[in-house]
């Protein structure tokens, strides 16, 4: 039986800010951009008491929490702290799968310290994070990734929860389907229309029916309802694309302004391609309009795409296919290179360590 731990840092960005700035401790803070289109990246637990949540509009957050302190994100700092956290993980196992800067899966079935119980390892890791980094983490423990992830959300902050094999079916039976892996708002809505609100109701559906309704992920839902998740803890990922995007503080409809933004996106994209040593043959332009309608346009070439001169002409060509106007302006623009290849032109199969990037916004056209 596998022993899987999911570690989730508590309000990570906000907690780092409160640790580094003692005057912020005990106060409601939100990390993010304090602007018209700013969103909350992370809220401290003091702010969450007022209903402030991640991904919430910063303007709404400030309305519901009058004393909210908005802190600009320091992502280089968060990456630095995240590396220190992962260093602790690797003292116990090299089977560490990073999900984001503040969470990871650990397979401790066979661990470096020969500790027999995963719960003891999780306790040690939590204690070390608190003692060495002055931060708190919550841990979930089970025999697969699905249940370990769900367990880590219980008893937060600074919590530890175990779902043992004999408890799994009863636990899942009462679990809202929204808590299952891969069930987003649209999928949940579709399940609700089918009369499926919890794991027990999901378990009544046949695999064929779930596959017919939800496609490839249908069999996974069938297994999840039964506590089955065979996915391994993966330490490396095959990078399939490199991209970047920007949400504008003001909607854009002026062609010259849009071209300038496209140019800056190309420059940022080429920097990311160089850093990741990624080469592809397909470039994709993503556009989101002010009414949140989203479209993409792609083009594939025989050339290897890695420089500004390679990508900019193709990006401009794709932009010409986009119809925008004063009454249908652009809110967001993104650019991605995919379809990876090696230097000799073959499909790239090399495995690379997952990296985490952060998106930026610009406000040059007021």
């Amino acid at each position: 039986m596998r022993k899987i731990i999911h570690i989730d840092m508590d309000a990570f960005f906000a907690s780092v800010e409160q640790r580094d700035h003692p005057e912020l401790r005990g106060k409601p803070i939100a990390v993010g951009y304090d602007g018209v289109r700013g969103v909350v990246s992370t809220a401290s637990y003091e702010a969450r008491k007022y209903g402030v949540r991640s991904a919430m509009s910063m303007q709404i957050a400030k309305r519901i929490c009058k004393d909210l302190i908005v802190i600009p994100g320091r992502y280089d700092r968060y990456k630095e702290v995240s590396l220190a956290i992962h260093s602790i993980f690797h003292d116990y196992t090299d089977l560490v799968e990073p999900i984001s800067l503040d969470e990871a899966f650990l397979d401790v079935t066979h661990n470096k310290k020969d500790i027999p119980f995963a719960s003891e390892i999780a306790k040690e890791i939590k204690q070390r994070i608190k003692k060495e980094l002055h931060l708190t983490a919550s841990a979930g423990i089970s025999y697969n990734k699905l249940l370990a992830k769900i367990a880590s959300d219980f008893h937060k902050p600074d919590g530890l929860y175990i779902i043992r094999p004999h408890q799994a079916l009863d636990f899942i039976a009462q679990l809202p389907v929204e808590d299952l892996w891969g069930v987003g708002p649209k999928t949940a809505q579709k399940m609700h229309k089918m009369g499926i609100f919890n794991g027990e109701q999901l378990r009544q559906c046949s695999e064929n029916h779930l596959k017919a309704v939800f496609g490839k992920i249908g069999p996974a839902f069938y297994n999840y309802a039964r506590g089955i998740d065979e996915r391994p803890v993966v330490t490396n990922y095959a990078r399939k694309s490199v991209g970047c995007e920007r949400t504008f503080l003001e909607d854009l409809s002026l062609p010259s302004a849009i071209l300038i933004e496209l140019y800056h996106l190309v420059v940022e994209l080429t920097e990311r391609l160089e850093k990741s040593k990624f080469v592809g043959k397909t470039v994709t332009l993503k556009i989101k309009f002010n009414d949140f309608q989203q479209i993409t346009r792609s083009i594939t070439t025989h050339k290897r795409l890695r420089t500004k001169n390679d990508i900019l002409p193709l990006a401009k060509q794709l932009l010409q296919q986009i119809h925008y106007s004063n009454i249908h302006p652009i809110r967001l623009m993104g650019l991605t290179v995919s379809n990876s290849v090696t230097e000799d032109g073959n499909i790239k199969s090399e495995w690379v360590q997952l990296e985490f990037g952060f998106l930026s916004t610009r406000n040059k056209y007021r």
Side-chain angles (χ1 to χ4, degrees), residues 74-96:
R74 298 183 298 150
Y75 299 114
D76 287 342
R77 178 58 170 160
Y78 309 147
K79 290 179 184 179
E80 178 186 342
V81 177
S82 179
L83 287 174
I85 294 167
H86 280 256
S87 178
I88 293 174
F89 296 161
H90 282 276
D91 285 344
Y92 297 86
T93 178
D94 287 329
L95 293 179
V96 177

CSV table of all heavy atoms in Angstrom, one decimal, residues 74-96:
chain,number,residue,atom,x,y,z
A,74,ARG,N,5.7,39.6,-4.1
A,74,ARG,CA,7.2,39.5,-4.3
A,74,ARG,C,7.5,38.1,-4.7
A,74,ARG,O,7.9,37.3,-3.9
A,74,ARG,CB,7.9,39.9,-3.0
A,74,ARG,CG,7.6,41.3,-2.5
A,74,ARG,CD,8.5,41.6,-1.3
A,74,ARG,NE,8.1,40.7,-0.2
A,74,ARG,CZ,8.9,40.3,0.8
A,74,ARG,NH1,10.2,40.6,0.7
A,74,ARG,NH2,8.5,39.5,1.8
A,75,TYR,N,7.3,37.7,-6.0
A,75,TYR,CA,7.3,36.3,-6.4
A,75,TYR,C,8.7,35.7,-6.3
A,75,TYR,O,8.8,34.5,-6.1
A,75,TYR,CB,6.7,36.2,-7.8
A,75,TYR,CG,5.2,36.7,-7.7
A,75,TYR,CD1,4.8,37.8,-8.4
A,75,TYR,CD2,4.3,36.0,-7.0
A,75,TYR,CE1,3.5,38.2,-8.4
A,75,TYR,CE2,3.0,36.4,-6.9
A,75,TYR,CZ,2.6,37.5,-7.6
A,75,TYR,OH,1.3,38.0,-7.6
A,76,ASP,N,9.7,36.5,-6.5
A,76,ASP,CA,11.1,36.0,-6.3
A,76,ASP,C,11.3,35.5,-4.9
A,76,ASP,O,11.9,34.5,-4.6
A,76,ASP,CB,12.1,37.0,-6.7
A,76,ASP,CG,12.2,37.3,-8.2
A,76,ASP,OD1,11.7,36.4,-9.0
A,76,ASP,OD2,12.7,38.3,-8.6
A,77,ARG,N,10.7,36.3,-4.0
A,77,ARG,CA,10.8,35.9,-2.5
A,77,ARG,C,10.1,34.6,-2.3
A,77,ARG,O,10.6,33.7,-1.6
A,77,ARG,CB,10.3,37.0,-1.7
A,77,ARG,CG,10.3,36.7,-0.2
A,77,ARG,CD,11.7,36.5,0.3
A,77,ARG,NE,11.8,36.4,1.8
A,77,ARG,CZ,12.7,35.8,2.5
A,77,ARG,NH1,13.7,35.2,1.8
A,77,ARG,NH2,12.7,35.8,3.8
A,78,TYR,N,8.9,34.5,-2.8
A,78,TYR,CA,8.1,33.3,-2.6
A,78,TYR,C,8.8,32.0,-3.2
A,78,TYR,O,8.7,30.9,-2.6
A,78,TYR,CB,6.7,33.4,-3.2
A,78,TYR,CG,6.0,34.7,-2.8
A,78,TYR,CD1,5.1,35.3,-3.6
A,78,TYR,CD2,6.2,35.2,-1.5
A,78,TYR,CE1,4.5,36.5,-3.2
A,78,TYR,CE2,5.6,36.4,-1.1
A,78,TYR,CZ,4.7,37.0,-2.0
A,78,TYR,OH,4.1,38.2,-1.6
A,79,LYS,N,9.4,32.2,-4.4
A,79,LYS,CA,10.2,31.1,-5.0
A,79,LYS,C,11.3,30.7,-4.1
A,79,LYS,O,11.6,29.5,-3.9
A,79,LYS,CB,10.7,31.5,-6.3
A,79,LYS,CG,9.6,31.7,-7.4
A,79,LYS,CD,10.3,32.2,-8.7
A,79,LYS,CE,9.2,32.4,-9.8
A,79,LYS,NZ,9.9,32.9,-11.0
A,80,GLU,N,12.0,31.7,-3.5
A,80,GLU,CA,13.1,31.4,-2.6
A,80,GLU,C,12.7,30.6,-1.4
A,80,GLU,O,13.3,29.6,-1.0
A,80,GLU,CB,13.8,32.7,-2.2
A,80,GLU,CG,14.9,32.6,-1.2
A,80,GLU,CD,15.4,34.0,-0.7
A,80,GLU,OE1,15.1,35.0,-1.3
A,80,GLU,OE2,16.1,34.0,0.4
A,81,VAL,N,11.6,31.0,-0.8
A,81,VAL,CA,11.1,30.3,0.4
A,81,VAL,C,10.6,28.9,-0.1
A,81,VAL,O,10.8,27.9,0.6
A,81,VAL,CB,9.9,31.0,1.0
A,81,VAL,CG1,9.3,30.3,2.2
A,81,VAL,CG2,10.4,32.4,1.5
A,82,SER,N,10.0,28.8,-1.2
A,82,SER,CA,9.5,27.5,-1.7
A,82,SER,C,10.7,26.5,-1.9
A,82,SER,O,10.5,25.3,-1.6
A,82,SER,CB,8.8,27.7,-3.1
A,82,SER,OG,8.3,26.4,-3.6
A,83,LEU,N,11.8,27.0,-2.4
A,83,LEU,CA,13.0,26.1,-2.5
A,83,LEU,C,13.4,25.6,-1.2
A,83,LEU,O,13.8,24.4,-1.1
A,83,LEU,CB,14.1,26.9,-3.2
A,83,LEU,CG,13.9,27.2,-4.7
A,83,LEU,CD1,15.0,28.1,-5.2
A,83,LEU,CD2,13.9,25.9,-5.5
A,84,ALA,N,13.3,26.4,-0.2
A,84,ALA,CA,13.7,26.0,1.2
A,84,ALA,C,12.8,24.9,1.7
A,84,ALA,O,13.2,23.9,2.3
A,84,ALA,CB,13.8,27.2,2.1
A,85,ILE,N,11.5,25.1,1.4
A,85,ILE,CA,10.5,24.1,1.8
A,85,ILE,C,10.7,22.8,1.1
A,85,ILE,O,10.7,21.7,1.7
A,85,ILE,CB,9.1,24.6,1.5
A,85,ILE,CG1,8.7,25.8,2.4
A,85,ILE,CG2,8.0,23.5,1.7
A,85,ILE,CD1,7.5,26.6,1.9
A,86,HIS,N,11.0,22.8,-0.2
A,86,HIS,CA,11.3,21.6,-1.0
A,86,HIS,C,12.6,20.9,-0.5
A,86,HIS,O,12.7,19.7,-0.6
A,86,HIS,CB,11.3,21.9,-2.4
A,86,HIS,CG,9.9,22.0,-3.0
A,86,HIS,ND1,9.3,21.1,-3.8
A,86,HIS,CD2,9.0,23.0,-2.9
A,86,HIS,CE1,8.1,21.4,-4.1
A,86,HIS,NE2,7.9,22.6,-3.6
A,87,SER,N,13.5,21.7,0.0
A,87,SER,CA,14.7,21.1,0.5
A,87,SER,C,14.4,20.2,1.7
A,87,SER,O,15.0,19.1,1.9
A,87,SER,CB,15.7,22.2,0.9
A,87,SER,OG,16.9,21.6,1.4
A,88,ILE,N,13.5,20.6,2.5
A,88,ILE,CA,13.0,19.8,3.6
A,88,ILE,C,12.4,18.5,3.1
A,88,ILE,O,12.6,17.5,3.6
A,88,ILE,CB,12.1,20.6,4.5
A,88,ILE,CG1,12.8,21.8,5.2
A,88,ILE,CG2,11.4,19.7,5.6
A,88,ILE,CD1,11.9,22.7,6.0
A,89,PHE,N,11.5,18.7,2.1
A,89,PHE,CA,10.8,17.5,1.6
A,89,PHE,C,11.9,16.4,1.2
A,89,PHE,O,11.7,15.2,1.4
A,89,PHE,CB,10.0,17.9,0.4
A,89,PHE,CG,8.8,18.8,0.6
A,89,PHE,CD1,8.2,19.5,-0.4
A,89,PHE,CD2,8.3,18.9,1.9
A,89,PHE,CE1,7.2,20.3,-0.2
A,89,PHE,CE2,7.2,19.8,2.2
A,89,PHE,CZ,6.7,20.4,1.1
A,90,HIS,N,12.9,16.9,0.5
A,90,HIS,CA,13.9,16.0,-0.1
A,90,HIS,C,14.8,15.3,1.0
A,90,HIS,O,15.5,14.4,0.6
A,90,HIS,CB,14.7,16.7,-1.2
A,90,HIS,CG,14.0,16.9,-2.5
A,90,HIS,ND1,14.0,15.9,-3.4
A,90,HIS,CD2,13.3,17.9,-3.0
A,90,HIS,CE1,13.3,16.3,-4.5
A,90,HIS,NE2,12.9,17.5,-4.2
A,91,ASP,N,14.7,15.8,2.2
A,91,ASP,CA,15.4,15.1,3.3
A,91,ASP,C,14.7,13.8,3.6
A,91,ASP,O,15.3,12.9,4.2
A,91,ASP,CB,15.4,16.0,4.5
A,91,ASP,CG,16.5,17.1,4.4
A,91,ASP,OD1,17.3,17.0,3.6
A,91,ASP,OD2,16.4,18.0,5.2
A,92,TYR,N,13.5,13.6,3.1
A,92,TYR,CA,12.7,12.4,3.4
A,92,TYR,C,12.5,11.5,2.2
A,92,TYR,O,12.4,10.3,2.4
A,92,TYR,CB,11.3,12.8,4.1
A,92,TYR,CG,11.5,13.5,5.4
A,92,TYR,CD1,11.7,14.9,5.4
A,92,TYR,CD2,11.5,12.9,6.6
A,92,TYR,CE1,11.9,15.6,6.6
A,92,TYR,CE2,11.7,13.5,7.8
A,92,TYR,CZ,11.9,14.9,7.8
A,92,TYR,OH,12.1,15.6,9.0
A,93,THR,N,12.3,12.1,1.1
A,93,THR,CA,12.1,11.4,-0.2
A,93,THR,C,12.5,12.2,-1.4
A,93,THR,O,12.4,13.4,-1.3
A,93,THR,CB,10.7,10.9,-0.3
A,93,THR,OG1,10.5,10.2,-1.5
A,93,THR,CG2,9.7,12.1,-0.3
A,94,ASP,N,12.9,11.5,-2.4
A,94,ASP,CA,13.2,12.2,-3.7
A,94,ASP,C,11.9,12.2,-4.6
A,94,ASP,O,11.9,12.8,-5.7
A,94,ASP,CB,14.4,11.6,-4.4
A,94,ASP,CG,15.7,12.0,-3.8
A,94,ASP,OD1,15.7,13.1,-3.2
A,94,ASP,OD2,16.6,11.2,-3.8
A,95,LEU,N,10.9,11.4,-4.2
A,95,LEU,CA,9.7,11.4,-4.9
A,95,LEU,C,8.8,12.5,-4.5
A,95,LEU,O,7.8,12.3,-3.7
A,95,LEU,CB,9.0,10.0,-4.7
A,95,LEU,CG,9.7,8.8,-5.3
A,95,LEU,CD1,9.0,7.5,-5.0
A,95,LEU,CD2,9.9,8.9,-6.8
A,96,VAL,N,9.1,13.7,-5.0
A,96,VAL,CA,8.4,14.9,-4.7
A,96,VAL,C,7.8,15.5,-6.0
A,96,VAL,O,8.5,15.7,-6.9
A,96,VAL,CB,9.3,15.9,-4.0
A,96,VAL,CG1,8.5,17.2,-3.7
A,96,VAL,CG2,9.9,15.4,-2.7
